[in-house]
Amino acid sequence: MKSKKYASVDVSHCVACGACEKTCPRGAIAVFRVGCLLCARTCPASAIFAKEREA
């Protein structure tokens, strides 16, 4: 099942701490078809956020 949301990164807030990379169970910062957004919840700089997919 495809997720309706995906992770997007605001590079101006990213501090390159690597928390998202360590947290992602799939070894990817952005999963395009199925995403759990765990990286967004883990990011201490709030640089990753959920966006709605366009139809």
Side-chain angles (χ1 to χ4, degrees):
M1 175 158 68
K2 290 183 184 178
S3 175
K4 291 185 179 183
K5 293 185 178 182
Y6 65 97
S8 182
V9 179
D10 181 346
V11 294
S12 70
H13 286 98
C14 181
V15 294
C17 67
C20 58
E21 183 178 5
K22 292 174 189 171
T23 302
C24 182
R26 295 180 183 240
I29 291 175
V31 179
F32 295 101
R33 297 270 181 223
V34 178
C36 65
L37 296 172
L38 185 58
C39 56
R41 292 189 296 270
T42 303
C43 181
S46 299
I48 304 172
F49 52 94
K51 290 181 77 173
E52 293 290 332
R53 291 190 189 278
E54 295 180 16

